[in-house]
Amino acid sequence: QKRLRKWSDRKKLVDFPLIPGYIFVYITRKDYDKVLKTNGVVAYVRFEGTAAVIPDEQIDTIKRLLRQEEHKIEVSFKDFSAGDAVEILAGPLMGVKGILTQLKGKNKVAVQLDKLQLSLTVEVPISEIKKTNV
């Protein structure tokens, strides 16, 4: 994601990874060991002893978040269990369900990606969400 970086003599938009330390790969079981031998790769994210398989819809949600530029995206590994379950009604994330949170006095929706055990948080006007069952 692009962020404004300031130097003493200038400002510039610079690309930063949305989730530092993560690289997503679309592979077959045959390529599993080959990826681990890649320079810089430490391990797969694992759940219950096996490499995590991230559903396509969760990867698509991340891509949709990155395509929009109006809202700053925050990544949190915190489990948002408190708050209301909501669905976004408008904008690039229309139809995405998440958990409503109040952070720093602003209305934000945390979109939980359970297979990664993290939440992506984006500020959404309260008029663009409705209560629902996730």
Side-chain angles (χ1 to χ4, degrees):
Q1 98 179 353
K2 293 192 181 297
R3 292 188 195 157
L4 188 63
R5 291 293 301 229
K6 298 178 189 176
W7 287 270
S8 60
D9 62 337
R10 63 193 152 110
K11 295 178 186 178
K12 183 177 179 182
L13 282 176
V14 179
D15 286 327
F16 282 89
L18 180 63
I19 308 169
Y22 280 59
I23 295 176
F24 296 91
V25 293
Y26 189 79
I27 59 171
T28 64
R29 178 65 184 112
K30 183 176 88 175
D31 295 323
Y32 184 88
D33 293 330
K34 185 178 177 182
V35 170
L36 286 175
K37 292 177 184 173
T38 303
N39 197 16
V41 172
V42 176
Y44 287 101
V45 174
R46 302 173 79 70
F47 297 106
E48 298 176 5
T50 60
V53 177
I54 312 305
D56 289 341
E57 71 181 35
Q58 291 187 4
I59 296 296
D60 290 342
T61 297
I62 293 171
K63 289 177 181 178
R64 286 171 56 192
L65 281 167
L66 290 171
R67 279 193 299 266
Q68 63 86 32
E69 295 180 4
E70 314 76 69
H71 305 292
K72 181 181 173 196
I73 303 165
E74 299 172 25
V75 175
S76 169
F77 287 90
K78 186 176 168 184
D79 183 15
F80 289 96
S81 57
D84 296 327
V86 296
E87 180 178 348
I88 300 174
L89 300 174
L93 298 179
M94 184 169 65
V96 173
K97 295 181 180 180
I99 306 298
L100 178 65
T101 59
Q102 293 286 341
L103 301 174
K104 299 177 189 169
K106 297 179 180 179
N107 298 309
K108 296 191 177 190
V109 173
V111 179
Q112 287 188 324
L113 304 178
D114 56 336
K115 292 293 183 177
L116 288 174
Q117 291 186 333
L118 59 82
S119 297
L120 299 174
T121 304
V122 62
E123 187 173 333
V124 176
I126 201 76
S127 61
E128 292 183 6
I129 61 175
K130 71 173 182 176
K131 285 188 180 182
T132 186
N133 296 323
V134 173

